[in-house]
Amino acid sequence: MALLHPSPLSEKKNTRTVGQSSQSVFLILFTLLMTTGIGIRLAYLQIIEGPKLRQRAEANRIRMIPKQPERGNIFDRNGKILASTRYSRSVYLWPMAHQKLSWSFVGQRLEKILGIPQQEIEKKLQQAGANSSSLVRIARDLNEAQITALKEYENELQEVEIHTDAVRYYPHGKELAHVLGYTRELTAEQLNQKQQEGYQLGDVIGQMGAEKAYERILRGEWGGQQVEVDGAGRPLRVLGEKQAKAGKDLHLTIDLDIQKAAAKALGDRDGAIVALDPKNGAVLAMVSHPTFDPNIFSKQKLSQKDWETVQGADHPLVNRALSAFPPASTFKIVTATAGLESGKFSPSTVLQTYGSLNIGGTRFGEWNHAGFGPLGFVGALQWSSDTFFYQIGRGVGGSTLIEWTRKYGFGKKTGFEFSSEETKGLVPDETWKQKVWKMPWTVGDSINMSIGQGALQTTPLQVAIMFAVPANGGYRVQPHLLKDNEQAKSWRESLNMKPTTVKILRDGLRKVVAEGTGKALNQPTIPTVAGKSGTAEAWKGRVKQNHAWFGAYAPADKPELLIVAFAEHSGGGGGSIAAPMILKIMEDYFQRKYPGKYQKPATE
């Protein structure tokens, strides 16, 4: 019987069939896995990543072009412009350009043209966010050379745009620097603090003075355009627009003419001048020197010279009208009030004055080293007798003197709008001395305080408020800068002084000018003046350089203008240094207001 053997062809065919079956199963499983993976990936992209990708796509074709609001103008009491707006060209950059390969070239080119380090530009872009669809300002206040260079390279700088911005302008520069302050672009720290209030990257903010105090009124609201662009960044159409809302205008109590006269009178002397209406506390002028030009802060970047100007050792940014110094003999107004109101001294009191007094083993001298003989309160104010007021201070005691010092408003802020810049000064007392010096209050402390020396510290604005009390008949007023501040204008606090006390103060201050230490103001070129001088002992390093004070109001019988002049480390006396400053301001004011009424007599 023959055996049947499978042919080679049969074997081969059967083997291939088994292999095909395994491959088919593998392919099916692979296809299922791939399909499932793709499905999961698509679902992830659509559901999880979809909003983010759509936002990124929108950012590629939609830009926000911001429109900065114009800041409100600032006017003086008579409608004269003090701060306004000028227009300048600024450079804006789309943050997404930072992610492109071309950025290294663009950044280097901008650094060369604008003079801003590339790292600073990158920092602003990073702060905005790489996917931000809003243009970010990286430079402002371009000069003509910069604009020309940017246009010359515009084909290479396609992501760079130039727009017109409103920039703060101060037409009177240094004369009003400490009143108006200045604006400057928000720092990163300020932006973090202010974002919830609607501030954004590139916004400017008031940094001191009226600009800071009335920031909310002046700033306005941002606007802008939402623009669709093509792949090359060219605008296709405006999708939406919000008009920027300008800030509100501000009218101050400042009288520009008085302010200019005060700035001229102070000149290059370090110090301050404050002028106000003694009836209601309206501040008519406030000058401080050294000063600065607030327009320099409208630049993108301060030069080295500009920084040296504002960061000098003499601290030009400090408002000396709101800084504290020993008030010297101007303070004798308070000591006289304390003596008369305490009941320990009558209006008819007469005290012998001396070349010096020995109190508690310490010698306290008279400023003329001789004394003035017997004096009453009026005569003591007239000649500014130290030994007279030593006796008053010793007689009333420290607690009564301190009580009246505080009633006059010393030792606390006045309520003036520049609260962050105003110093409250210092009224020393038992608690303070024990804390600082670990010593009890002594009669010597009362003696020093009676003539405005020792640890007592007051600001020129506080001293002006003190002078307003006798000028208006016994009321402490509220100093203020906003013209329409009805609450401040009507605020008057009576010190409940006896009519005889007010009369003695007024008579004494008039005598100072008519016959005493303030005769520099007894001139036919101005109405009758009442006032008081002061010379505070002070040291500058190891050299004694006194401060000079003078406070005055006019007309003496019906005051409408009150001025305090302070000369820091002048080295001279109040009657010889500060009083002539007041004379210049009063001549300018009264001769303008009453033409022909006050003038120098004709010389032969």
Side-chain angles (χ1 to χ4, degrees):
M1 182 175 183
L3 295 174
L4 295 175
H5 298 280
S7 70
L9 290 174
S10 308
E11 279 188 356
K12 193 172 183 180
K13 183 176 181 181
N14 291 338
T15 302
R16 190 165 51 242
T17 301
V18 173
Q20 283 180 341
S21 176
S22 299
Q23 287 180 347
S24 298
V25 172
F26 175 77
L27 288 171
I28 291 169
L29 290 174
F30 179 76
T31 303
L32 287 172
L33 287 172
M34 288 295 294
T35 305
T36 302
I38 292 171
I40 293 172
R41 179 61 179 169
L42 288 172
Y44 174 78
L45 291 174
Q46 289 182 340
I47 298 171
I48 306 300
E49 292 289 322
K52 188 185 296 184
L53 293 171
R54 281 192 293 274
Q55 183 181 8
R56 190 173 295 174
E58 287 294 311
N60 279 323
R61 68 183 186 87
I62 297 174
R63 295 187 185 181
M64 289 297 299
I65 301 177
K67 179 65 176 176
Q68 187 181 5
E70 283 192 23
R71 205 165 173 85
N73 295 317
I74 302 179
F75 299 91
D76 85 335
R77 66 189 300 109
N78 299 311
K80 296 177 181 177
I81 192 74
L82 304 181
S84 61
T85 297
R86 64 177 176 84
Y87 298 94
S88 72
R89 307 287 274 174
S90 297
V91 176
Y92 285 81
L93 189 64
W94 189 32
M96 293 192 71
H98 180 51
Q99 306 299 309
K100 297 185 178 181
L101 294 175
S102 61
W103 167 247
S104 59
F105 171 79
V106 172
Q108 291 174 10
R109 181 67 73 187
L110 289 175
E111 178 177 356
K112 186 174 181 181
I113 294 174
L114 303 175
I116 302 173
Q118 186 174 342
Q119 291 82 359
E120 286 189 21
I121 301 174
E122 291 174 356
K123 190 175 180 180
K124 280 198 172 185
L125 294 172
Q126 290 166 2
Q127 194 175 358
N131 295 319
S132 173
S133 59
S134 295
L135 289 172
V136 174
R137 183 175 61 203
I138 61 169
R140 57 188 177 132
D141 206 26
L142 303 180
N143 58 42
E144 290 300 322
Q146 291 170 325
I147 294 172
T148 300
L150 288 169
K151 288 182 177 179
E152 182 180 348
Y153 292 101
E154 62 183 349
N155 290 333
E156 301 170 4
L157 303 174
Q158 294 182 4
E159 304 295 346
V160 178
E161 298 185 18
I162 301 175
H163 294 281
T164 300
D165 278 348
V167 176
R168 204 54 159 167
Y169 175 59
Y170 304 96
H172 304 287
K174 295 180 178 181
E175 292 174 324
L176 285 141
H178 293 91
V179 171
L180 301 178
Y182 63 93
T183 62
R184 189 156 173 76
E185 195 168 308
L186 285 161
T187 63
E189 182 181 354
Q190 287 175 325
L191 181 59
N192 288 334
Q193 296 171 349
K194 294 285 187 178
Q195 266 183 323
Q196 292 183 345
E197 299 177 31
Y199 288 85
Q200 54 188 282
L201 187 65
D203 211 344
V204 297
I205 189 170
Q207 300 284 4
M208 66 176 285
E211 294 281 20
K212 181 178 181 179
Y214 291 105
E215 167 69 15
R216 291 187 179 182
I217 295 175
L218 292 166
R219 71 176 298 254
E221 295 179 11
W222 278 77
Q225 286 184 330
Q226 191 179 44
V227 180
E228 183 178 6
V229 298
D230 62 16
R234 292 184 292 266
L236 298 176
R237 61 192 176 111
V238 176
L239 301 177
E241 184 170 4
K242 178 187 176 183
Q243 292 293 328
K245 185 177 179 181
K248 294 180 181 179
D249 291 342
L250 205 64
H251 293 263
L252 304 183
T253 57
I254 292 292
D255 185 312
L256 181 58
D257 292 321
I258 299 177
Q259 181 77 17
K260 285 185 171 183
K264 185 177 180 181
L266 185 58
D268 291 331
R269 289 187 183 277
D270 290 357
I273 293 178
V274 175
L276 52 79
D277 184 334
K279 298 185 295 296
N280 59 28
V283 175
L284 305 175
M286 181 179 283
V287 174
S288 178
H289 190 274
T291 186
F292 62 96
D293 184 354
N295 288 302
I296 64 176
F297 292 101
S298 295
K299 301 176 183 179
Q300 171 63 26
K301 189 174 182 180
L302 269 66
S303 66
Q304 183 62 32
K305 184 179 179 180
D306 290 336
W307 271 118
E308 290 172 359
T309 299
V310 299
Q311 298 290 341
D314 50 1
H315 307 295
L317 291 178
V318 172
N319 188 343
R320 282 161 167 78
L322 305 178
S323 302
F325 307 89
S329 292
T330 62
F331 185 77
K332 289 170 182 175
I333 291 173
V334 177
T335 306
T337 304
L340 291 163
E341 291 294 311
S342 69
K344 294 182 178 180
F345 298 92
S346 72
S348 60
T349 293
V350 174
L351 299 174
Q352 181 66 38
T353 62
Y354 308 91
S356 65
L357 285 177
N358 192 305
I359 301 174
T362 302
R363 180 179 171 275
F364 295 89
E366 181 66 76
W367 69 265
N368 73 345
H369 309 293
F372 300 91
L375 292 175
F377 276 98
V378 172
L381 286 169
Q382 174 186 343
W383 295 112
S384 195
S385 170
D386 291 331
T387 55
F388 179 94
F389 286 101
Y390 293 156
Q391 295 174 75
I392 301 298
R394 179 177 59 180
V396 300
S399 59
T400 299
L401 188 57
I402 290 166
E403 177 188 358
W404 275 99
T405 304
R406 291 188 172 133
K407 282 185 178 182
Y408 267 89
F410 295 118
K412 61 183 178 182
K413 295 186 178 183
T414 63
F416 189 62
E417 291 94 325
F418 301 175
S419 59
S420 63
E421 299 165 45
E422 184 180 15
T423 302
K424 67 179 182 180
L426 174 64
V427 177
D429 57 15
E430 173 77 24
T431 302
W432 175 86
K433 194 178 179 191
Q434 286 283 9
K435 181 179 179 181
V436 176
W437 295 104
K438 313 298 183 189
M439 296 171 64
W441 187 269
T442 66
V443 65
D445 296 314
S446 300
I447 297 298
N448 276 327
M449 192 171 177
S450 70
I451 62 166
Q453 293 282 176
L456 182 66
Q457 297 278 305
T458 65
T459 71
L461 181 60
Q462 289 174 331
V463 172
I465 299 304
M466 176 189 72
F467 273 96
V469 173
N472 64 34
Y475 295 88
R476 189 159 62 88
V477 293
Q478 171 70 62
H480 61 279
L481 195 63
L482 186 63
K483 186 179 180 182
D484 296 328
N485 191 338
E486 297 298 330
Q487 182 178 355
K489 282 193 290 187
S490 60
W491 189 91
R492 281 159 58 97
E493 181 180 70
S494 174
L495 299 193
N496 297 314
M497 294 158 59
K498 302 168 189 173
T500 52
T501 300
V502 176
K503 184 178 188 307
I504 286 173
L505 292 177
R506 291 176 67 105
D507 289 348
L509 297 179
R510 175 65 191 129
K511 278 281 190 178
V512 168
V513 175
E515 302 173 21
T517 59
K519 286 192 288 186
L521 286 166
N522 194 32
Q523 303 292 335
T525 53
I526 55 176
T528 54
V529 178
K532 182 73 187 74
S533 61
T535 305
E537 289 188 357
W539 295 78
K540 193 172 185 180
R542 296 184 178 182
V543 180
K544 187 176 181 180
Q545 288 185 301
N546 294 339
H547 303 317
W549 291 87
F550 207 100
Y553 54 83
D557 57 342
K558 194 174 181 181
E560 60 181 80
L561 177 63
L562 187 158
I563 304 172
V564 167
F566 168 72
E568 183 181 4
H569 294 302
S570 67
S576 59
I577 300 293
M581 298 181 193
I582 293 178
L583 175 62
K584 292 178 182 178
I585 302 166
M586 285 190 170
E587 284 179 337
D588 180 82
Y589 173 80
F590 286 108
Q591 290 176 17
R592 273 188 299 102
K593 187 169 182 179
Y594 306 101
K597 186 173 182 179
Y598 303 108
Q599 53 190 353
K600 290 182 179 180
T603 56
E604 296 181 4

